[in-house]
Amino acid sequence: MLFRSIATINRVVVANVTGKGRKTRTIPMPGWVVKAIRAWHRETGLRSGVIVRGISRHGRHLESGLSTDGIYKLVRGVAKIGRITDCTPHTLRRTGARHLFEQGGALKQISLILGHESIKTTEGYIGLDKVDLDRPTTLDF
């Protein structure tokens, strides 16, 4: 994963992400996410490499990233502590998209962030049949 600023559009993106269906995408990053990641980098002292890393039992950051299975187990474990059932990384992704929409996010922007090829996919993903479609939507990215 490559985290870089694209000067022509004045946005920070995660470039060349290979996702579902082996599709390569570039994902725009909201400014507040970039600030949070940079603050995390300052705090941890990490300057490059994998963003989500494993931690050894001695508290050291590992060079390798978490596997898909590792992220799944982490989310399930934290959810269990909070007595939350049926929580997966995909649940968090869908919930995050829904919250973006409820806070005024434009459907086209949310679709782009999620990497959906069709806005129709995003509409179904966040359950638009359950929200007010007449309200204005804007979100500054």
Side-chain angles (χ1 to χ4, degrees), residues 33-88:
V33 173
V34 174
K35 287 178 186 175
I37 290 171
R38 288 184 176 148
W40 181 79
H41 274 154
R42 281 191 303 277
E43 185 68 28
T44 62
L46 298 173
R47 296 290 173 252
S48 64
V50 179
I51 293 175
V52 180
R53 298 176 182 220
I55 299 175
S56 75
R57 59 187 169 138
H58 304 294
R60 289 190 303 262
H61 292 105
L62 303 175
E63 291 300 314
S64 60
L66 289 177
S67 65
T68 303
D69 190 51
I71 292 172
Y72 180 85
K73 287 178 180 177
L74 176 68
V75 169
R76 296 287 291 185
V78 172
K80 185 177 180 180
I81 292 168
R83 298 185 181 162
I84 300 170
T85 59
D86 298 326
C87 183
T88 66

Side-chain angles (χ1 to χ4, degrees), residues 81-102:
I81 292 168
R83 298 185 181 162
I84 300 170
T85 59
D86 298 326
C87 183
T88 66
H90 198 164
T91 305
L92 297 177
R93 175 180 153 91
R94 187 172 26 262
T95 301
R98 177 66 183 251
H99 285 302
L100 280 173
F101 184 78
E102 289 173 351

